[in-house]
Amino acid sequence: MSKTLKLSIITSFVGLWLTSYLSNNYQIIVGFLLILSFGVLHGANDLVLINNLKSDKKLNFRKLILMYVLLIGISALLFTTIPIVALVLFIIVSSYHFGEQHWNEIVSPLNTSILVFFRFNYGLLILLLLFYIHAIEVIAIIFEITQFSIPKASIEIALIICSLLFIGITAKMYVDSTDFRKNIIEQLFYLLVLAIVFKASSLIWGFAIYFIFWHSIPSLNDQITFLYGEATWANFKKYFKTAFVYWFISLIGIFGLYYIAKDMLVFDALFFAFLASITFPHCIVILTMFQNKSH
């Protein structure tokens, strides 16, 4: 078990323990603080990552910024014009992104369409599990973003289909991959841990625990290793120095949203829409980073 996975397990149980002491409002506050810190930070260094990717065509830094901002702008435009399409795209892209991060080193030799689908299915299973457990809050947020009211049965059916697909593709991967066979029992245990955390926590707190300790910090570890060769405290400080400006700009944007919509329900919707807008380009950068690492 890697150090980052050990940290994920330990912090999940600490988070589970804290649910007994933190009211729902405090869970939301601490959850947002975690997302605003490590969560936003892990995507703040994308431009530096792009500059370090192997490419025959190197773009100058101004063009990189322009392209990156343009992609964020297109994402934000989608959320303001056709939000239901933007939300579906966000779930699809995030699902693969979460699954890719989690399974990259475990089954990286199998660069096949089956592996791509497995990663997507795994990430979607995590999200649907969270959505189903907190269906009332999720349905309210989806309505605020899209003005569409979806029934809880739709989330339940999606979770059942995704679970059945997960069982089928897991059986296929078990047969095809030795590395997968060595890790599957451990990984199923992690799924159980996440289900318990989601059940015991509020929506924001449960999402924060997963997003920070199971995704963002492992991603930071991979990014620092890619940029500097090793994930150390000294290299983290280098990473933070280069990411600080972009992280700070993102925080200004989020706090601007807060003053636009201080009502918590509306702010939840806008907050996730903002995260989605910066997630699209980030996912592309991380996908390219993993492809560079494998060559």
Side-chain angles (χ1 to χ4, degrees):
M1 185 187 297
S2 67
K3 290 181 179 179
T4 51
L5 275 176
K6 287 180 181 178
L7 177 64
S8 300
I9 289 288
I10 292 170
T11 50
S12 293
F13 281 110
V14 170
L16 199 59
W17 172 70
L18 284 174
T19 56
S20 302
Y21 296 92
L22 295 175
S23 67
N24 190 60
N25 285 338
Y26 278 114
Q27 287 181 35
I28 290 172
I29 292 169
V30 177
F32 273 128
L33 287 174
L34 286 171
I35 293 169
L36 291 173
S37 55
F38 288 102
V40 176
L41 178 66
H42 97 281
N45 231 3
D46 286 347
L47 293 173
V48 177
L49 288 170
I50 293 171
N51 247 357
N52 281 268
L53 297 175
K54 295 176 183 177
S55 175
D56 295 331
K57 297 179 180 179
K58 288 288 184 181
L59 298 173
N60 65 52
F61 202 66
R62 287 184 179 178
K63 286 184 178 179
L64 285 177
I65 293 176
L66 181 62
M67 290 173 63
Y68 196 83
V69 171
L70 182 63
L71 194 50
I72 292 176
I74 292 171
S75 303
L77 184 63
L78 279 175
F79 269 99
T80 57
T81 54
I82 41 176
I84 187 66
V85 173
L87 185 62
V88 170
L89 285 174
F90 170 58
I91 291 173
I92 290 172
V93 171
S94 296
S95 295
Y96 181 77
H97 181 56
F98 290 157
E100 177 190 42
Q101 177 62 53
H102 189 89
W103 287 95
N104 178 64
E105 292 189 4
I106 299 174
V107 286
S108 54
L110 289 177
N111 190 19
T112 66
S113 57
I114 292 174
L115 176 57
V116 170
F117 181 75
F118 175 77
R119 287 170 171 170
F120 165 73
N121 182 255
Y122 179 85
L124 184 60
L125 181 63
I126 296 292
L127 289 176
L128 287 174
L129 190 61
L130 178 65
F131 293 169
Y132 177 73
I133 290 172
H134 298 286
I136 295 175
E137 295 169 81
V138 169
I139 289 168
I141 290 174
I142 290 174
F143 181 79
E144 289 292 336
I145 294 174
T146 67
Q147 297 303 301
F148 281 91
S149 182
I150 64 168
K152 182 180 179 180
S154 298
I155 300 176
E156 184 176 1
I157 292 169
L159 178 59
I160 291 170
I161 293 172
C162 189
S163 299
L164 292 174
L165 288 172
F166 177 74
I167 292 170
I169 197 70
T170 295
K172 172 66 175 171
M173 295 282 289
Y174 186 87
V175 172
D176 290 349
S177 172
T178 303
D179 290 335
F180 188 85
R181 285 197 294 275
K182 291 177 182 177
N183 288 278
I184 185 57
I185 301 301
E186 182 179 319
Q187 295 301 323
L188 290 175
F189 170 70
Y190 296 156
L191 269 178
L192 178 62
V193 170
L194 286 172
I196 294 170
V197 169
F198 292 163
K199 183 67 177 176
S201 308
S202 66
L203 172 63
I204 299 298
W205 185 234
F207 175 75
I209 290 173
Y210 172 73
F211 185 57
I212 301 305
F213 301 115
W214 291 85
H215 176 72
S216 298
I217 291 178
S219 179
L220 280 168
N221 183 78
D222 287 340
Q223 291 178 51
I224 292 168
T225 301
F226 177 77
L227 289 171
Y228 307 112
E230 187 180 5
T232 63
W233 177 246
N235 287 336
F236 171 77
K237 288 190 285 187
K238 291 179 185 177
Y239 181 98
F240 183 78
K241 285 179 182 178
T242 57
F244 179 79
V245 173
Y246 311 110
W247 176 63
F248 186 70
I249 292 171
S250 297
L251 292 186
I252 291 174
I254 291 171
F255 283 115
L257 282 179
Y258 177 76
Y259 282 106
I260 291 170
K262 293 185 178 181
D263 176 76
M264 184 53 73
L265 183 59
V266 174
F267 177 67
D268 284 353
L270 287 172
F271 181 76
F272 282 112
F274 180 88
L275 280 183
S277 296
I278 62 177
T279 292
F280 286 124
H282 172 68
C283 292
I284 295 171
V285 172
I286 298 301
L287 174 63
T288 310
M289 183 191 79
F290 282 136
Q291 289 174 342
N292 269 246
K293 284 175 66 177
S294 63
H295 293 152

